[in-house]
């Protein structure tokens, strides 16, 4: 992937805008999935990371090192908080809790300190003043936006018209305008191979968009997910890319992490 030096352009009203944001979420220490995504990404100006960088997968240090090298825009996820030791594992199932303990003890002191210091969302993608990133929802970093009712209620808690969120590991999102809510998912041309789907955004209304999970998709599709927002075109392109899932599973088993964490990658659940 190539991260271009940011090309800030001046619009007619003298506001600075960026061109392309790479949106990564829920990498969950899956280095093989992250590397496959980065190999498929078109040139981007800025990387925005929506949290849950670690937890579940076997390469937390490598994934943090890579993420840190790509940019500075991060919000923390619930697994980041737990692995950093600043939140307990209440609400985590046994498998997730085991991964938290393993990750906490595997992180280098430097990466642990970095993880602890990650900011809570929402975070505006400055200099854009109408686009933000969150982990869960605009009103609660730990809220799951699964159905349009949740999304609509949460959207009332923000004036920002475009929110990128993660947490659910489901690619797609919600559009709220004139008291109507719509749910959308990218319509890909194939269920295998590497695919992309471009969506032109409307000017009025609010969007809540999930780029999908890089490292542990749960929408029934095992391929790694990410999205690119083009602020100039006001469009979002969703991606699904294949990665070496066998290798990621071998690493999970070699680390002594629960077998379920390897299995679920194949199922995309
Ligand atoms: Zn997650």
């Amino acid at each position: 992937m190539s991260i271009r030096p940011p090309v800030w352009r001046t619009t007619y009203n003298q506001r600075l805008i960026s061109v392309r944001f790479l949106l990564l979420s829920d990498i969950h220490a899956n280095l093989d999935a992250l590397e496959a995504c980065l190999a498929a990404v078109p040139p981007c100006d800025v990387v925005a990371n929506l949290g849950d960088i670690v937890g579940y997968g076997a390469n937390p240090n490598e994934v943090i090192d890579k993420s840190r090298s790509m940019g500075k825009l991060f919000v923390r996820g619930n697994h980041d908080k737990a692995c950093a030791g600043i939140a307990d594992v209440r609400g985590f199932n046994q498998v997730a809790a085991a991964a938290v303990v393993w990750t906490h003890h595997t992180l280098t002191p430097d990466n642990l300190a970095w993880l602890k210091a990650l900011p809570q969302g929402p975070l505006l993608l400055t200099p854009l003043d109408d686009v933000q990133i969150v982990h869960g929802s605009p009103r609660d970093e730990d809220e799951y936006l699964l159905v349009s009712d949740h999304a609509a209620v949460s959207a009332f808690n923000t004036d920002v018209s475009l929110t990128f969120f993660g947490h659910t590991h489901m690619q797609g999102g919600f559009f709220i305008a004139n008291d109507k809510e719509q749910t959308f998912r990218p319509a890909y041309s194939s269920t295998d191979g590497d695919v992309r789907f471009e969506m032109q955004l409307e000017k009025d209304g609010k969007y809540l968009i999930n780029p999908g999970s890089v490292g542990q998709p749960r929408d029934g599709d095992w391929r790694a997910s990410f999205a690119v927002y083009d602020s100039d075109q006001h469009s979002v392109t969703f991606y699904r890319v294949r990665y070496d899932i066998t290798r990621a599973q071998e690493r999970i088993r070699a680390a002594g992490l629960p077998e379920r964490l390897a299995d679920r990658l194949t199922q995309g659940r």
Side-chain angles (χ1 to χ4, degrees), residues 122-142:
L123 185 73
L124 279 173
L125 292 186
T126 47
L128 303 178
D129 54 12
D130 208 21
V131 185
Q132 66 184 358
I133 57 171
V134 301
H135 184 64
S137 83
R139 62 173 178 175
D140 179 352
E141 63 177 341
D142 294 333

Short mmCIF file of all heavy atoms in Angstrom, two decimals, residues 122-142:
data_model
loop_
_atom_site.label_atom_id
_atom_site.label_comp_id
_atom_site.label_asym_id
_atom_site.label_seq_id
_atom_site.Cartn_x
_atom_site.Cartn_y
_atom_site.Cartn_z
N PRO A 122 -15.97 9.89 20.16
CA PRO A 122 -15.75 10.20 18.75
C PRO A 122 -14.54 11.11 18.51
O PRO A 122 -14.18 11.92 19.36
CB PRO A 122 -17.03 10.94 18.35
CG PRO A 122 -18.00 10.77 19.46
CD PRO A 122 -17.21 10.50 20.68
N LEU A 123 -13.96 10.94 17.33
CA LEU A 123 -12.82 11.75 16.93
C LEU A 123 -13.11 12.28 15.53
O LEU A 123 -13.39 11.50 14.61
CB LEU A 123 -11.57 10.86 16.91
CG LEU A 123 -10.24 11.51 16.62
CD1 LEU A 123 -9.77 12.33 17.81
CD2 LEU A 123 -9.19 10.45 16.29
N LEU A 124 -13.06 13.61 15.40
CA LEU A 124 -13.29 14.21 14.08
C LEU A 124 -12.09 13.96 13.16
O LEU A 124 -10.95 14.01 13.62
CB LEU A 124 -13.49 15.72 14.21
CG LEU A 124 -14.87 16.22 14.64
CD1 LEU A 124 -14.81 17.72 14.87
CD2 LEU A 124 -15.95 15.87 13.63
N LEU A 125 -12.38 13.69 11.91
CA LEU A 125 -11.28 13.52 10.94
C LEU A 125 -10.87 14.90 10.43
O LEU A 125 -11.16 15.26 9.29
CB LEU A 125 -11.72 12.62 9.79
CG LEU A 125 -11.98 11.15 10.13
CD1 LEU A 125 -12.26 10.34 8.88
CD2 LEU A 125 -10.79 10.54 10.86
N THR A 126 -10.26 15.68 11.30
CA THR A 126 -9.86 17.04 10.93
C THR A 126 -8.89 16.99 9.75
O THR A 126 -8.11 16.06 9.66
CB THR A 126 -9.19 17.76 12.11
OG1 THR A 126 -8.23 16.86 12.66
CG2 THR A 126 -10.18 18.17 13.15
N PRO A 127 -8.91 17.95 8.86
CA PRO A 127 -9.67 19.19 8.91
C PRO A 127 -11.12 19.10 8.46
O PRO A 127 -11.81 20.11 8.39
CB PRO A 127 -8.88 20.10 7.96
CG PRO A 127 -8.33 19.18 6.95
CD PRO A 127 -8.02 17.91 7.68
N LEU A 128 -11.61 17.90 8.15
CA LEU A 128 -13.03 17.79 7.83
C LEU A 128 -13.80 17.99 9.14
O LEU A 128 -13.45 17.40 10.15
CB LEU A 128 -13.35 16.41 7.26
CG LEU A 128 -12.59 15.98 6.02
CD1 LEU A 128 -12.99 14.58 5.61
CD2 LEU A 128 -12.82 16.95 4.88
N ASP A 129 -14.84 18.80 9.13
CA ASP A 129 -15.56 19.02 10.38
C ASP A 129 -16.89 18.28 10.42
O ASP A 129 -17.68 18.46 11.32
CB ASP A 129 -15.77 20.52 10.62
CG ASP A 129 -16.45 21.18 9.44
OD1 ASP A 129 -16.95 20.45 8.56
OD2 ASP A 129 -16.47 22.43 9.40
N ASP A 130 -17.12 17.42 9.43
CA ASP A 130 -18.40 16.74 9.37
C ASP A 130 -18.25 15.22 9.21
O ASP A 130 -19.16 14.56 8.73
CB ASP A 130 -19.24 17.33 8.23
CG ASP A 130 -20.73 17.22 8.50
OD1 ASP A 130 -21.10 17.08 9.69
OD2 ASP A 130 -21.50 17.24 7.53
N VAL A 131 -17.07 14.73 9.58
CA VAL A 131 -16.81 13.29 9.48
C VAL A 131 -16.11 12.87 10.77
O VAL A 131 -15.16 13.54 11.20
CB VAL A 131 -15.91 12.95 8.27
CG1 VAL A 131 -15.77 11.45 8.12
CG2 VAL A 131 -16.46 13.56 6.98
N GLN A 132 -16.56 11.78 11.39
CA GLN A 132 -15.95 11.36 12.64
C GLN A 132 -15.80 9.83 12.67
O GLN A 132 -16.45 9.12 11.92
CB GLN A 132 -16.80 11.81 13.84
CG GLN A 132 -18.16 11.14 13.91
CD GLN A 132 -19.03 11.68 15.05
OE1 GLN A 132 -18.60 12.55 15.81
NE2 GLN A 132 -20.24 11.15 15.18
N ILE A 133 -14.91 9.38 13.54
CA ILE A 133 -14.77 7.94 13.77
C ILE A 133 -15.11 7.63 15.23
O ILE A 133 -14.84 8.43 16.13
CB ILE A 133 -13.35 7.41 13.42
CG1 ILE A 133 -12.25 8.14 14.20
CG2 ILE A 133 -13.10 7.50 11.92
CD1 ILE A 133 -10.86 7.51 14.05
N VAL A 134 -15.73 6.47 15.42
CA VAL A 134 -16.04 5.97 16.77
C VAL A 134 -15.78 4.46 16.75
O VAL A 134 -15.69 3.87 15.67
CB VAL A 134 -17.51 6.24 17.16
CG1 VAL A 134 -17.84 7.72 17.12
CG2 VAL A 134 -18.48 5.47 16.27
N HIS A 135 -15.69 3.85 17.93
CA HIS A 135 -15.62 2.38 17.92
C HIS A 135 -17.03 1.80 17.90
O HIS A 135 -17.39 1.08 16.98
CB HIS A 135 -14.82 1.85 19.12
CG HIS A 135 -14.67 0.34 19.05
ND1 HIS A 135 -13.97 -0.28 18.04
CD2 HIS A 135 -15.18 -0.66 19.82
CE1 HIS A 135 -14.04 -1.59 18.20
NE2 HIS A 135 -14.76 -1.85 19.27
N GLY A 136 -17.84 2.13 18.90
CA GLY A 136 -19.18 1.55 18.97
C GLY A 136 -20.23 2.42 18.30
O GLY A 136 -20.78 2.07 17.26
N SER A 137 -20.52 3.60 18.91
CA SER A 137 -21.51 4.51 18.34
C SER A 137 -21.15 5.93 18.77
O SER A 137 -20.34 6.12 19.66
CB SER A 137 -22.91 4.14 18.84
OG SER A 137 -23.14 4.71 20.11
N PRO A 138 -21.81 6.93 18.16
CA PRO A 138 -21.49 8.32 18.55
C PRO A 138 -21.76 8.61 20.01
O PRO A 138 -21.13 9.47 20.61
CB PRO A 138 -22.41 9.15 17.65
CG PRO A 138 -22.67 8.29 16.46
CD PRO A 138 -22.70 6.88 16.99
N ARG A 139 -22.71 7.89 20.62
CA ARG A 139 -23.04 8.24 22.02
C ARG A 139 -22.37 7.34 23.04
O ARG A 139 -22.37 7.65 24.23
CB ARG A 139 -24.54 8.21 22.24
CG ARG A 139 -25.18 6.86 22.03
CD ARG A 139 -26.64 6.84 22.41
NE ARG A 139 -27.22 5.53 22.14
CZ ARG A 139 -28.44 5.19 22.45
NH1 ARG A 139 -29.22 6.05 23.06
NH2 ARG A 139 -28.90 3.98 22.16
N ASP A 140 -21.84 6.19 22.60
CA ASP A 140 -21.28 5.23 23.55
C ASP A 140 -20.25 4.36 22.83
O ASP A 140 -20.61 3.61 21.91
CB ASP A 140 -22.42 4.37 24.12
CG ASP A 140 -21.93 3.32 25.11
OD1 ASP A 140 -20.70 3.13 25.25
OD2 ASP A 140 -22.79 2.66 25.74
N GLU A 141 -19.00 4.44 23.29
CA GLU A 141 -17.93 3.71 22.59
C GLU A 141 -18.11 2.20 22.62
O GLU A 141 -17.51 1.48 21.83
CB GLU A 141 -16.55 4.10 23.15
CG GLU A 141 -16.37 3.73 24.62
CD GLU A 141 -14.98 4.04 25.16
OE1 GLU A 141 -14.03 4.21 24.38
OE2 GLU A 141 -14.85 4.13 26.40
N ASP A 142 -18.95 1.71 23.55
CA ASP A 142 -19.16 0.26 23.67
C ASP A 142 -20.51 -0.22 23.13
O ASP A 142 -20.87 -1.38 23.30
CB ASP A 142 -19.03 -0.17 25.15
CG ASP A 142 -17.62 0.03 25.69
OD1 ASP A 142 -16.67 -0.01 24.88
OD2 ASP A 142 -17.49 0.26 26.90
#
